[in-house]
Amino acid sequence: MNITIPFDQLTKHQKILAYIMLREGILDERAIHSDATKNYRIPSAPKANEPTKVRIRTGKENVDQVYLCYNNKRVLLEVERSDDLFDYYSGVIIPGTDSVSYFFEIRVGNLKCYFNKKGVVREVDGFYNYKIIPGFDTPNWAKGAVMYQIFVDRFFNGDKTNDVLTNEYVYVGKPVKQVKKWNKLPEVDGIREFYGGDIQGIIDKLDYLEDLGVEVIYLNPIFVSPSNHKYDTQDYDYVDPHFGKIIIDKGELLTSTATSNEKATKYISRVTETINLEASNDLLYNFVEEAHRRDIRVILDGVFNHCGSFNKWIDKEKIYANSHNYPPGAYESIDSPYHSYFYFHDKNAWPDNNHYDGWWGFDTLPKLNYEGSPKLYNYILEIGKKWVSEPYNFDGWRLDVAADLGYTKEFNHQFWRDYRKSVKGANSEALIIAEHYGDPNDWIQGDQWDTVMNYDAFMEPVTWFLTGMQKHSDEFRPDLLGNARAFFDTMTHNMSRFHNPSLEVSMNELSNHDHSRFLTRTNHTVGRVNTKGSRAAEVGINLGIMKEAVAIQMTWPGAPTIYYGDEVGLCGWTDPDNRRSFPWGNENKDLLSAHRELIRIRKQYSALKTGSIKFLHAEHNIIAYGRWDDDNRLIVVLNNSDKVKEVKLPVWEIGISDNDTLEMLIETTREGLSTEEEIYFVYHGRLAIKLEPFSAVVMKTKVW
């Protein structure tokens, strides 16, 4: 029997509620979801003219109409299927050859709202719309792959006969030094220190990397170069014999007071003798072949914006002039075949013309003049092609300061379009990752880079939330430490600038060769090695926070990238302290175990590589999110405080119902980790869990 209460007899609250229900209906915003993964766009990366199903999920019988809006069209969608919790609406877009932007319109009673990458919104902002770029996809092998970055000189010394020797040559005004104690900490002015790590050393440690679960090795530069970091390339065609093989080793060392390289005959012999260069390339070939045999891919570092003053094209140091087997460099002679490779401001200063453009004004880093030299332009395109082709078969490139190349943005974009054609034409499965700070959207439209080193949508938000520290340890922000809402809002905004093929291969790092070690950031201390000293980087660190960070890294969309030594507790302020030698024999076994187990979990569940993500819970120092696909549903929850916390998570939002149970896969804490089976039950769509201080828990729906 229905009882009708006259409107004038309702309470004020009841009147307001009745008005809202009549006027707008009740929309369950948390039930609504769509994205560009294979769960909600089929195919996720369509080709031109390929019919593409797009899907959106709403609460079961919760909305009246859903429209797909694109290309000035508004198409009413039908319910494709339903389950106990949701209705799934779908429609088809045929994208043609041009990119297509789309969003959804949802109606409930008189309420009208929209859904795009920002979520449920009242007004459409095209900035956050979904986008289909026909024909743009990234290599499947790289999607969600576990990468490992190696700074070669500091990883492992496998061949002591190729070590840089003390006084072998002069670098930036002073002779170089051979470091004989592997565990010595880098000096403040450590630009001339060489520890002896090499390609043979990486080969020797492939068992370790394979056991860790590494799927891709990213090498910092390995081509001939006078520095330990090798971002000042001397010869793009050959591996540095100090990383490779030295067959002919003649000549003399310099005196400790030398200031030039004109008599650096040992160095000249080592890096210019063809037999050394070819033997080094042969060793590199053997390394890649062995890595591939273990199903490990290898990516090179390409430094194409600038070279180094030692480079044979400019030869400011007279390395090649004094070998007598090479054409004159552009610094020495106006008639050099490489004259056009650089921009000289003084046209009458030869010989020894020092008036050339240097990157950021550094004369040790001559900027390459692509606009003035089609020969240079084509040469670098060939270099891009060479190393991903037979016989070397590298699997891609990381591009240093890629947005700086050229003198205008327009030229920069044109170069990378041609570079992509060259590299992908030689090896369609090659990956192109750029170093870039800021919005990468202009470069990841399918015609230039595949993706970027993910600072804005990974490293920085994770660092601010978990540590409150800036990525160089130059600033502490207590307002961002534990600020869960800022974390999710930042991630939502910055992830929206990626198209899904780019997001799934984005390089998600906690540390790298340019920033302080993440473990050092957990001490909440502002400093650098020159202000605090090396040992201060190890004081007050928190292994629990480090493991929280790794839990995020291994469960977040993108390619988690470990900076060598992070997995065993290496600390360090920013450059040069972040380039400490790998502590073989002194590894933190607890941290290493956490990495191994989290990597194993990532590789076992496809949802963590290419599945959907939804933010489930945010409060101070606590975040939770879900990852899922057709095969599995996983929950990740972190407590970044020093107190035990109890939370209730709305797991129904990723399709986990009261009929489901969850099992813990791993729990990390400050003291250790656990993989013991623990079962969680769902009540009214929520899961209650108690979290230990500085802990992370990963769980999944259990199959009985």
Side-chain angles (χ1 to χ4, degrees), residues 221-238:
I222 58 171
F223 301 122
V224 183
S225 161
S227 62
N228 52 38
H229 54 74
K230 304 207 177 299
Y231 282 97
D232 45 1
T233 310
Q234 189 171 322
D235 188 335
Y236 291 95
D237 278 300
Y238 295 103

Side-chain angles (χ1 to χ4, degrees), residues 583-650:
W584 299 108
N586 295 295
E587 300 91 342
N588 183 301
K589 297 297 196 295
D590 171 47
L591 200 52
L592 181 57
S593 295
H595 274 84
R596 282 197 179 114
E597 188 61 23
L598 284 162
I599 290 171
R600 184 195 66 78
I601 290 169
R602 180 176 187 82
K603 293 169 71 173
Q604 183 173 352
Y605 300 106
S606 60
L608 296 177
K609 288 197 168 193
T610 57
S612 297
I613 185 170
K614 194 173 196 299
F615 306 151
L616 300 177
H617 184 83
E619 64 178 271
H620 189 64
N621 273 322
I622 297 176
I623 58 170
Y625 52 93
R627 300 293 313 275
W628 77 97
D629 60 14
D630 289 342
D631 298 319
N632 288 285
R633 286 169 165 75
L634 297 97
I635 302 291
V636 184
V637 56
L638 292 89
N639 174 17
N640 194 46
S641 76
D642 59 359
K643 303 289 191 302
V644 174
K645 299 284 186 178
E646 294 186 8
V647 295
K648 289 185 178 179
L649 306 177

Side-chain angles (χ1 to χ4, degrees), residues 91 116 358 464 559 568 632:
N116 57 17
W464 287 121
V568 294
N632 288 285

Side-chain angles (χ1 to χ4, degrees), residues 316-523:
K316 183 177 181 179
E317 300 290 327
K318 310 295 178 69
I319 302 298
Y320 294 91
N322 288 318
S323 77
H324 307 297
N325 293 318
Y326 292 81
Y331 175 84
E332 179 185 7
S333 172
I334 193 172
D335 297 321
S336 168
Y338 313 118
H339 173 94
S340 63
Y341 287 21
F342 308 95
Y343 185 81
F344 290 92
H345 295 274
D346 189 335
K347 311 301 183 185
N348 300 298
W350 283 277
D352 299 348
N353 190 337
N354 202 45
H355 302 278
Y356 55 83
D357 268 358
W359 183 58
W360 282 39
F362 292 107
D363 64 357
T364 57
L365 301 174
K367 185 170 175 62
L368 293 171
N369 180 32
Y370 291 94
E371 285 94 331
S373 181
K375 182 180 176 183
L376 168 67
Y377 193 106
N378 291 325
Y379 184 88
I380 294 299
L381 295 185
E382 288 299 313
I383 288 294
K385 180 192 303 183
K386 168 182 175 175
W387 292 102
V388 299
S389 304
E390 293 282 356
Y392 302 106
N393 296 318
F394 276 89
D395 299 289
W397 289 95
R398 177 267 188 190
L399 306 171
D400 187 59
V401 294
D404 287 7
L405 184 143
Y407 287 97
T408 66
K409 189 173 182 179
E410 292 74 19
F411 183 90
N412 181 278
H413 285 303
Q414 185 57 54
F415 178 86
W416 292 124
R417 289 187 186 100
D418 290 339
Y419 182 87
R420 181 182 184 87
K421 290 175 184 175
S422 182
V423 169
K424 298 283 186 174
N427 180 353
S428 62
E429 287 294 291
L431 182 66
I432 301 174
I433 303 174
E435 178 193 25
H436 185 69
Y437 297 86
D439 189 343
N441 193 260
D442 288 352
W443 286 269
I444 53 173
Q445 296 294 319
D447 60 345
Q448 297 170 67
W449 311 333
D450 283 324
T451 193
V452 294
M453 300 176 75
N454 197 1
Y455 290 112
D456 287 13
F458 190 79
M459 182 191 281
E460 294 201 43
V462 171
T463 293
W464 287 121
F465 173 70
L466 291 180
T467 73
M469 297 298 297
Q470 186 262 358
K471 60 184 178 292
H472 286 287
S473 291
D474 283 343
E475 182 184 9
F476 176 60
R477 289 279 303 274
D479 60 313
L480 293 178
L481 174 60
N483 190 330
R485 181 45 54 199
F487 173 77
F488 281 148
D489 287 349
T490 301
M491 283 296 199
T492 297
H493 174 77
N494 289 327
M495 289 171 71
S496 75
R497 305 309 291 149
F498 289 81
H499 308 297
N500 203 58
S502 292
L503 185 66
E504 290 181 334
V505 298
S506 60
M507 187 179 278
N508 290 349
E509 295 183 296
L510 298 171
S511 317
N512 62 31
H513 61 288
D514 284 327
H515 306 96
S516 61
R517 292 273 180 174
F518 186 90
L519 186 53
T520 287
R521 285 176 234 151
T522 68
N523 66 11

Side-chain angles (χ1 to χ4, degrees), residues 148 510-512 517-519 546 550 561-571 582 591 595:
Y148 192 89
L510 298 171
S511 317
N512 62 31
R517 292 273 180 174
F518 186 90
L519 186 53
M546 181 72 194
V550 180
T561 305
I562 302 166
Y563 184 41
Y564 80 100
D566 266 10
E567 78 277 18
V568 294
L570 211 54
C571 293
F582 193 103
L591 200 52
H595 274 84

Side-chain angles (χ1 to χ4, degrees), residues 23 38 68 111 125 140 205 249 286 309 318 396 407 471 506 608 633 663:
R23 177 81 178 166
K38 59 188 177 182
L68 171 63
L111 170 68
D125 181 350
N140 285 330
K205 294 299 182 181
D249 196 11
N286 293 336
S309 57
K318 310 295 178 69
Y407 287 97
K471 60 184 178 292
S506 60
L608 296 177
R633 286 169 165 75
E663 59 180 324

